[in-house]
């Protein structure tokens, strides 16, 4: 797999940041007519979250075909200035990552959905935003599930400055407020070297870290990640004056496995989606009975959800 982080947008030369994993917010227009800023429609009005489809509901097989909503979005993209190098800068609700966050969307990101390609960070984050708006916002689920931006915590950044990454994690934990009741923090973690995505789900109350990898192996593949996560949890609990009653327990969840070299990002998104839809803080070691495996139809369903969301939010 190629490096999924930072490799998914064909940037103009003056948008390239050689020492950063992901670009920071541009402070001026990039080139002539390239940067087109839009406001998030969702952020303008808080509305109660609505439930996703029933977690156990059968999903019709659509593998190998493009749905009507995907074809509609493709037509919109083909007729827009994105096809000629324009980008979109989108503001997320602050509740998504616990602080102000924006995302850059370009043609290459949308094409990952159309072509069922390896997912980059922009698509990962945008689907997380969709999940927050659709399922969580305005409900008690906001107190049970939290997201950590993959652009702040990944293998490349840990290698460069592990202390800074640890402190970013602690700040995210602190931003959530009350952590005395069980909740999960979702970290879509990218390996940086090869671009593989895994999901790290942290329960700070019970000191349990769930590790979900759609390929074989466990967290020992990423020792610096585990060290950083453990250090951040311990520092957070110290700042909150919580006693560390026991050691942090890592659990390798026997989750669905991918059968190709491109689906890891889709699987990570599906893991988060289903855990939230089932409203489960405790993730069974053998995963959920409802989802012992994921078919292509399960992944196509997520692509349709995101295509519809992009259309509804008037991102293009």
């Amino acid at each position: 797999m190629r490096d999924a982080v930072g490799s998914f947008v064909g940037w103009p030369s003056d948008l390239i940041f050689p020492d950063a994993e992901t670009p920071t917010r541009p402070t001026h227009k990039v080139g002539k007519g390239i940067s087109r800023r839009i406001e998030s429609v969702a952020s303008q009005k808080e509305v109660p979250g609505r439930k996703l489809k029933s977690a156990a509901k059968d999903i019709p097989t659509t593998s190998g075909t493009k749905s009507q909503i995907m074809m509609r979005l493709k037509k919109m993209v083909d007729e827009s200035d994105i096809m000629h190098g324009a980008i979109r800068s989108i503001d997320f609700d602050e509740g998504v990552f616990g602080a102000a966050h924006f995302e850059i969307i370009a043609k290459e990101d949308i094409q990952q959905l159309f072509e069922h390609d390896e997912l980059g960070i922009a698509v990962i984050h945008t689907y997380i935003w969709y999940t927050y708006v659709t399922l969580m916002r305005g409900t008690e689920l906001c107190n049970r599930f939290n997201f950590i931006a993959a652009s702040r915590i990944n293998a490349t950044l840990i290698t460069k400055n592990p202390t800074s990454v640890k402190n970013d994690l602690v700040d995210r934990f602190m931003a959530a407020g009350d952590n005395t009741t069980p909740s999960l923090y979702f970290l879509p973690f990218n390996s940086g070297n090869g671009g593989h995505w895994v999901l790290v789900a942290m329960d700070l109350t019970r000191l349990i870290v769930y590790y979900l990898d759609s390929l074989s192996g466990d967290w020992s593949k990423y020792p610096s990640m585990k060290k950083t996560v453990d250090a951040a949890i311990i520092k957070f609990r110290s700042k909150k004056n919580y006693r560390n009653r026991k050691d942090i327990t890592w659990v390798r969840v026997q989750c669905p496995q991918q059968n190709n070299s491109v689906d890891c990002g889709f699987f990570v998104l599906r893991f988060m989606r289903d855990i939230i839809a089932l409203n489960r803080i405790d993730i069974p070691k053998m995963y959920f009975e409802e989802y012992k495996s994921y078919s292509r139809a399960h992944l196509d369903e997520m692509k349709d959800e995101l295509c519809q969301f992009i259309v509804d939010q008037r991102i293009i």
Side-chain angles (χ1 to χ4, degrees), residues 278-297:
L278 292 169
N279 196 9
R280 292 287 298 272
I281 298 298
D282 58 319
I283 306 175
K285 187 173 183 179
M286 302 306 295
Y287 205 55
F288 302 108
E289 287 296 330
E290 294 90 340
Y291 294 110
K292 288 300 185 182
S293 64
Y294 289 145
S295 67
R296 175 62 182 267

Side-chain angles (χ1 to χ4, degrees), residues 54-258:
S54 173
K57 184 177 180 179
D58 291 337
I59 300 171
T61 301
T62 58
S63 179
T65 64
K66 284 186 172 61
S67 65
Q68 289 185 350
I69 185 59
M70 185 176 290
M71 294 301 294
R72 179 184 174 189
L73 178 59
K74 186 176 188 307
K75 185 175 185 295
M76 293 172 63
V77 171
D78 289 344
E79 295 174 352
S80 75
D81 55 355
I82 284 184
M83 290 300 296
H84 306 289
I87 60 175
R88 302 291 188 267
S89 178
I90 312 161
D91 287 329
F92 285 15
D93 303 58
E94 288 193 8
V96 178
F97 294 121
H101 181 88
F102 83 103
E103 201 65 52
I104 297 290
I105 301 291
K107 177 181 69 174
E108 289 79 6
D109 304 307
I110 305 297
Q111 287 178 332
Q112 292 166 10
L113 298 176
F114 297 159
E115 300 171 8
H116 196 88
D117 202 354
E118 300 163 9
L119 296 185
I121 206 166
V123 176
I124 294 288
H125 281 175
T126 305
Y127 190 85
I128 287 173
W129 180 34
Y130 156 79
T131 302
Y132 174 84
V133 169
T134 305
L135 185 60
M136 296 172 56
R137 189 172 63 187
T139 76
E140 59 91 23
L141 293 176
C142 287
N143 298 322
R144 292 173 62 81
F145 302 102
N146 305 276
F147 301 104
I148 299 169
S151 54
R152 305 295 297 274
I153 318 292
N154 55 66
T156 301
L157 295 179
I158 290 174
T159 299
K160 291 179 179 179
N161 195 336
T163 299
S164 176
V165 173
K166 178 188 70 176
N167 291 336
D168 278 346
L169 259 180
V170 174
D171 290 344
R172 178 65 184 101
F173 297 155
M174 296 294 289
D178 178 26
N179 283 277
T180 58
T181 56
S183 62
L184 283 181
Y185 287 81
F186 291 120
L187 168 61
F189 180 78
N190 191 271
S191 67
N193 181 19
H196 181 55
W197 291 99
V198 301
L199 179 63
V200 179
M202 295 161 272
D203 182 337
L204 305 184
T205 303
R206 297 182 297 170
L207 292 179
I208 297 174
V209 178
Y210 298 100
Y211 179 88
L212 293 86
D213 189 343
S214 56
L215 294 178
S216 60
D218 60 19
W219 53 84
S220 62
K221 294 188 291 186
Y222 313 112
S224 61
M225 178 272 289
K226 182 180 184 300
K227 181 179 179 181
T228 301
V229 168
D230 286 347
I233 293 174
I234 292 170
K235 182 175 181 179
F236 161 74
R237 292 183 63 84
S238 175
K239 292 185 71 170
K240 298 288 282 187
N241 294 318
Y242 298 154
R243 288 198 310 166
N244 291 318
R245 304 180 305 276
K246 58 180 181 179
D247 293 335
I248 299 169
T249 300
W250 283 66
V251 177
R252 175 31 163 131
V253 178
Q254 302 300 312
C255 54
Q257 299 289 283
Q258 66 190 84

